[in-house]
Amino acid sequence: MGEQGSGWPFVGRGGPLRTVREALRSRAGMMISGEAGVGKSRLAAQALAELDGYAVVRALGTETASTIPFGAFAHVLTGPPRGGENLLRWAARHVRGSASGGELLVSVDDAHRLDAASAALVHYLAGSGTARVLVTVRSGKTQPAPVAALWKDELLARIELPPLAEDEVGQVLAGVLGGEVAARTVRRLARVSGGNVLYLRELVHAGRGDGSLAERGGRWSWQGELSMTTRLRELVGARIGHLDQEEREVLELVAFGEPLGAELLVSLTSARAVERVEARGLAVAESEGRRELLRLGHPLYGEVVRGDCGTLRARRMRRMLAEALEASGLRRREDVLRAAVLRLDSGADTDPETLLTAAKLAWGRQDPRLAARLAEAAIDAGAGVAGVALLGEVRMVLGDAGSALTALRLAARDAVTEGERARHACSLGVNLAWAGADAEACRVLDVASATLTDPAWRQETYLYRCVADCLAGRLTEARRALERARSCGPMTVRGAAHADSMEAWIDAYSGRAERSLAVAERALPGLESWKDEAPHAFPAFLDARCAAQVLSGRLDAAARTAEQGMELPSTELSGFGAYRAMVSRLRGDAAGAVRWCADDLARLPSGEPYRGRVLAEQAHALALLGRTAPAREALAEAEELTARWAFTRQHVLQAAVWVAAAGGDVAEAVRLCLSAVAHAEEHELFGPLAFALHDLVRLGAPAERLTELEGPLVALLARHARAIGDPDELRAVAGEFERTGLILYAAEATAQESAAYRGAGRGTLARGAQTRAWALAKRCPGVSTPALVELATPELTPRQREIVQLAAAGLTNRQIADRLTLSTRTAANHLQAAYDKLGVNDRTQVRHLLAAL
């Protein structure tokens, strides 16, 4: 049991547990094999628990006892053998005698450490049928011949216990920490621990001890660097074991340079040493084309090995690797980047061009922090304006546009050549656009495109003007800038990728979902050919795909794309959590939407518009759950952050609609919805416009413009608008919504169907629709909208329902009267009449009634 630790839940092993228990009941027993720390002992102990009718004798193989005959069973062998008695039968007799009642079951932990006599005894007990046997052994360890024969001779079944999978790590963490754990934290700890329960336990203890792992906003999350306690270092060090000088050098080189080519590693050490390290599982080989690459056998090996190196030795190792890579010719771009980083970390001088090239490669691999570090080193080494321009764009992505603008303004006088002027103008222009200084951004980019003579540089400035127009919500102008870029002549690799990504983005947000997806499908297969040249393109493609997939009703695909985006380091400011939350919300899982937003917010820097987009979606989901106070707080923060960009502002405007509705003010919700519609129309955001118009339908207001928009999902939303008052058509629309996965919309349309039947005096059909609507609403736990409120209160008039919602939101009679321009007496009378119809006595009971939706 020690492998998983006291108090740690037993999860994720249901299949193996059933297999072991079945083997113990139906045959001689089971051998559980696995790496140290994966939970073999805990699985064995769990299998024995709740297994009635057996007398259990336990033994443990240890290094100390392995030198003593029958050492593992010394605690049950109390008397000498009878005259001439066979030693195995004597030992078996004592084992049997030590068990009181029931069929004998012998459990041996770490059987690979048994002495020869104990191993023979276990084999005898299993082979003679004297006892059922359960043993655990460590994978890769040499076993005594009798123990190995247990499964080779088929006396015992054998199961290989793998490390915990990521979802199982999540279950363990939730159980240990007693609360919800952020998905990114689960992924990180699963990766670092390798699914090893023993290591996971130590990581959790270390993280909690130094505050890296803490509860923040109701969720456990890890912030900061990895914590390595003395205990964890000792455990990993013991797993690594003794290394001779050659083996240590091999492992250190892999730790500093992984993945490392086998040929290069052999050239620096020796083939035999590399083979020994691989044979011990300390490094693993994997094929990449015709090359064999070596990686560490476990992520934590690197932490321990690098930590054991002194500063000078670590620098020597890095310098050796950099020189070896350079001597090999740096045939691959990855080698250029790795050599530059190794030289930088070793303290060796590196020329600015190499550092600048490496910075571009790091950014192309979506690692902006490394790109910034390399760009800063390049500037220190004399890279000039090119370095400042690159660093400016990287800092913008990292949320530091302020310092980027300062540096770029200072560098303006140094931009002399046409290439320097172009790079400087593009970096300055996009930073200004990002910061909301739209007019100055356009002026800088327009001057550059008018004065540059090289078609490739003019192409670049037009593309950056396209970005500025998109951020400002001028999609027609953005498309025009894109056309100008393409008219400059043959597109560069960088220009073509950026142009395609912006075309996909413009199409998605302007409501042309299918065209957007087609552009992405055409360009993304060539990702490897352009990702290093066009670092902005891939995140832009993913953002466009999310928007287009949601707009076209491809919710599963949108969820996958959003999760892919959330994993990219360079999208720290792009807020893919907003789209992942939107998918959950449309499915009716508002609580899930809140969780996805929390995951993204945990890593997004403060003060940036993309954070505002996620906060807006969080406010939207919280409002649907009736959590109006935190919804208003999130909305207030989002409003401040998203004001500078039209497309992020749209999320806020649409969230405000549902925050107002959650407060019971449907009239205000409709007014705000019309503002969201106007904003989308003004800025040509016809994709989001479809959802804003459909929100009017959900609130019971007309939305004729829906029929003018295009797309398969938009057609269904328009059909819903036309179906209001027609119960048969509403039922058909609800069915389509359900098939598409839009469960919340399906529930609302079915509630409207029930109301339409009721209005027509067709009570039986109304009740049938009401039952179906309730079933759909239950698939949207905790969600409340005006249509679903009407479902719960069909006997109320619209005015009574409005007043009841305001009362449930906490407003006094005087506040309700002021809000609705009524007298206080009239508001009180309406409220009392509603109480009588609903069979409740006060606001608290009304609140509970609506919360039961």
Side-chain angles (χ1 to χ4, degrees):
M1 295 179 65
E3 284 178 319
Q4 190 150 327
S6 176
W8 280 60
F10 182 85
V11 297
R13 303 296 199 190
L17 180 61
R18 286 189 294 272
T19 299
V20 173
R21 282 183 172 166
E22 180 59 31
L24 292 175
R25 291 190 180 103
S26 63
R27 53 183 299 171
M30 172 66 76
M31 175 181 287
I32 304 172
S33 177
E35 297 177 356
V38 296
K40 303 183 299 296
S41 301
R42 181 64 185 273
L43 175 61
Q46 200 73 23
L48 294 176
E50 303 174 13
L51 197 63
D52 298 327
Y54 293 90
V56 180
V57 173
R58 291 178 170 84
L60 174 64
T62 65
E63 293 294 337
T64 302
S66 66
T67 62
I68 306 170
F70 295 114
F73 290 92
H75 59 295
V76 297
L77 303 179
T78 57
R82 297 168 184 166
E85 184 178 16
N86 179 283
L87 285 177
L88 284 179
R89 290 179 181 174
W90 162 77
R93 176 168 56 82
H94 274 273
V95 171
R96 183 68 186 90
S98 69
S100 56
E103 185 176 352
L104 178 62
L105 195 159
V106 176
S107 174
V108 184
D109 208 6
D110 288 343
H112 54 279
R113 290 176 170 170
L114 289 178
D115 61 276
S118 294
L121 174 59
V122 173
H123 187 276
Y124 174 78
L125 292 170
S128 65
T130 304
R132 297 179 189 273
V133 174
L134 174 62
V135 300
T136 70
V137 296
R138 187 178 300 178
S139 301
K141 287 288 185 181
T142 302
Q143 301 167 14
V147 173
L150 287 170
W151 65 274
K152 289 181 179 179
D153 295 345
E154 298 185 355
L155 295 176
L156 303 183
R158 175 171 170 155
I159 185 172
E160 189 72 27
L161 191 64
L164 292 172
E166 183 180 299
D167 62 327
E168 294 167 342
V169 169
Q171 293 173 47
V172 170
L173 290 173
V176 169
L177 298 172
E180 190 176 344
V181 185
R184 289 179 60 82
T185 296
V186 172
R187 287 192 292 273
R188 181 176 188 182
L189 290 178
R191 177 182 57 79
V192 173
S193 69
N196 185 293
V197 187
L198 189 59
Y199 295 162
L200 180 64
R201 183 186 67 193
E202 293 303 322
L203 286 167
V204 169
H205 288 170
R208 295 188 71 175
D210 67 9
S212 300
L213 180 61
E215 195 170 14
R216 300 175 176 90
R219 296 157 63 82
W220 287 86
S221 63
W222 190 293
Q223 291 185 1
E225 297 301 315
L226 179 68
S227 301
M228 287 290 290
T229 62
T230 301
R231 164 73 175 159
L232 184 55
R233 286 188 178 279
E234 289 173 350
L235 286 170
V236 178
R239 179 78 172 273
I240 292 172
H242 173 74
L243 299 168
D244 63 31
Q245 187 57 40
E246 282 189 329
E247 291 168 342
R248 177 166 296 282
E249 189 148 301
V250 168
L251 203 58
E252 287 173 348
L253 288 168
V254 177
F256 285 111
E258 68 175 331
L260 210 55
E263 289 184 10
L264 184 146
L265 184 58
V266 166
S267 73
L268 294 173
T269 55
S270 75
R272 289 184 177 180
V274 173
E275 289 168 3
R276 290 199 302 273
V277 168
E278 183 193 9
R280 292 174 57 179
L282 300 176
V284 293
E286 57 185 41
S287 297
E288 184 184 88
R290 292 183 296 176
R291 290 205 306 170
E292 289 291 327
L293 301 177
L294 276 91
R295 296 181 183 273
L296 293 174
H298 193 282
L300 288 175
Y301 291 171
E303 297 292 332
V304 171
V305 171
R306 288 187 295 269
D308 288 343
C309 279
T311 301
L312 296 179
R313 184 174 178 83
R315 286 183 175 179
R316 181 172 69 83
M317 288 292 166
R318 290 185 173 109
R319 193 159 48 248
M320 282 175 59
L321 286 167
E323 290 171 354
L325 284 168
E326 290 163 356
S328 70
L330 301 176
R331 294 184 297 272
R332 297 169 179 82
R333 290 185 173 186
E334 291 81 0
D335 293 341
V336 174
L337 175 58
R338 291 168 64 211
V341 172
L342 287 164
R343 276 205 167 275
L344 186 61
D345 289 342
S346 71
D349 291 336
T350 308
D351 68 274
E353 283 304 316
T354 297
L355 290 167
L356 202 56
T357 299
K360 293 175 183 177
L361 290 170
W363 194 14
R365 281 155 177 72
Q366 306 301 318
D367 191 343
R369 297 188 183 281
L370 178 58
R373 183 167 168 249
L374 288 162
E376 287 167 356
I379 293 169
D380 291 341
V385 174
V388 175
L390 177 62
L391 181 60
E393 293 195 45
V394 175
R395 280 182 174 169
M396 176 192 76
V397 171
L398 290 171
D400 192 12
S403 66
L405 284 170
T406 299
L408 285 162
R409 292 187 194 283
L410 288 173
R413 63 179 179 273
D414 299 323
V416 177
T417 69
E418 184 157 274
E420 288 173 340
R421 289 192 294 111
R423 290 189 182 97
H424 181 270
C426 289
S427 186
L428 178 59
V430 77
N431 268 281
L432 288 166
W434 188 281
D438 177 58
E440 187 180 356
C442 292
R443 185 167 58 254
V444 166
L445 292 167
D446 289 347
V447 167
S449 61
T451 56
L452 294 170
T453 59
D454 187 326
W457 287 124
R458 294 183 65 227
Q459 178 185 110
E460 188 87 349
T461 57
Y462 283 131
L463 287 171
Y464 276 72
R465 175 59 196 265
C466 173
V467 173
D469 286 329
C470 285
L471 293 177
R474 298 185 297 267
L475 299 195
T476 297
E477 287 299 312
R479 202 179 293 277
R480 209 170 276 134
L482 198 55
E483 291 169 357
R484 290 194 189 103
R486 285 176 166 150
S487 70
C488 288
M491 300 292 286
T492 63
V493 170
R494 173 183 170 89
H498 280 151
D500 285 344
S501 69
M502 293 314 301
E503 181 181 359
W505 197 96
I506 294 166
D507 282 339
Y509 281 86
S510 61
R512 300 177 176 91
E514 300 304 320
R515 284 178 53 176
S516 174
L517 292 172
V519 173
E521 288 303 312
R522 183 181 72 237
L524 284 172
L527 174 65
E528 291 301 318
S529 67
W530 52 255
K531 68 177 184 180
D532 293 334
E533 299 292 333
H536 292 301
F538 187 48
F541 270 124
L542 291 183
D543 193 274
R545 281 180 99 174
C546 278
Q549 286 164 340
V550 169
L551 182 63
S552 60
R554 296 173 171 91
L555 298 190
D556 290 343
R560 289 192 297 270
T561 301
E563 290 173 37
Q564 182 183 6
M566 291 176 73
E567 289 300 306
L568 294 178
S570 73
T571 55
E572 290 183 58
L573 304 182
S574 54
F576 281 97
Y579 276 114
R580 186 59 187 84
M582 188 184 296
V583 170
S584 292
R585 170 168 57 78
L586 292 170
R587 287 172 171 166
D589 182 14
V594 172
R595 288 194 296 272
W596 281 110
C597 288
D599 270 355
D600 221 17
L601 291 170
R603 67 171 185 155
L604 293 176
S606 59
E608 290 299 329
Y610 280 124
R611 180 179 176 86
R613 179 163 80 169
V614 181
L615 281 164
E617 283 301 325
Q618 186 180 58
H620 196 150
L622 287 167
L624 293 179
L625 292 169
R627 297 169 59 185
T628 52
R632 289 191 183 104
E633 290 175 8
L635 185 66
E637 185 180 351
E639 285 175 338
E640 182 178 347
L641 293 175
T642 60
R644 72 179 83 152
W645 297 348
F647 71 98
T648 54
R649 176 70 176 160
Q650 188 67 29
H651 286 264
V652 171
L653 294 173
Q654 291 180 220
V657 172
W658 296 98
V659 173
D665 196 341
V666 178
E668 176 65 5
V670 170
R671 187 191 69 77
L672 290 171
C673 200
L674 291 171
S675 295
V677 167
H679 181 270
E681 289 178 325
E682 177 188 354
H683 294 290
E684 306 170 86
L685 299 170
F686 299 123
L689 174 62
F691 285 106
L693 288 167
H694 185 247
D695 283 350
L696 286 172
V697 178
R698 297 168 63 204
L699 293 167
E704 293 84 359
R705 282 285 320 274
L706 262 172
T707 57
E708 301 172 17
L709 304 178
E710 62 180 68
L713 179 58
V714 177
L716 180 56
L717 301 181
R719 185 180 173 190
H720 185 195
R722 292 192 300 271
I724 297 301
D726 182 344
D728 292 334
E729 180 64 2
L730 282 167
R731 182 170 186 175
V733 167
E736 287 299 315
F737 279 143
E738 186 177 6
R739 279 187 286 277
T740 307
L742 299 161
I743 306 303
L744 177 56
Y745 290 178
E748 291 175 323
T750 308
Q752 291 168 338
E753 175 197 349
S754 177
Y757 276 131
R758 192 167 54 251
R762 302 168 73 178
T764 302
L765 292 173
R767 286 189 293 274
Q770 186 179 38
T771 300
R772 284 184 278 107
W774 276 118
L776 288 164
K778 288 186 181 300
R779 294 167 62 185
C780 308
V783 172
S784 176
T785 68
L788 298 184
V789 168
E790 183 176 358
L791 179 69
T793 58
E795 53 276 281
L796 301 186
T797 66
R799 175 62 87 185
Q800 288 171 343
R801 190 173 296 114
E802 188 174 25
I803 289 174
V804 161
Q805 286 183 265
L806 291 170
L811 274 68
T812 65
N813 288 355
R814 165 69 68 184
Q815 290 170 325
I816 293 172
D818 292 344
R819 178 78 62 86
L820 301 180
T821 320
L822 302 171
S823 70
T824 303
R825 180 184 294 275
T826 299
N829 289 340
H830 276 303
L831 189 57
Q832 186 57 54
Y835 285 170
D836 293 341
K837 289 181 180 180
L838 296 174
V840 299
N841 299 316
D842 55 32
R843 284 170 165 76
T844 301
Q845 292 179 345
V846 167
R847 194 176 299 117
H848 289 160
L849 174 67
L850 298 183
L853 286 174

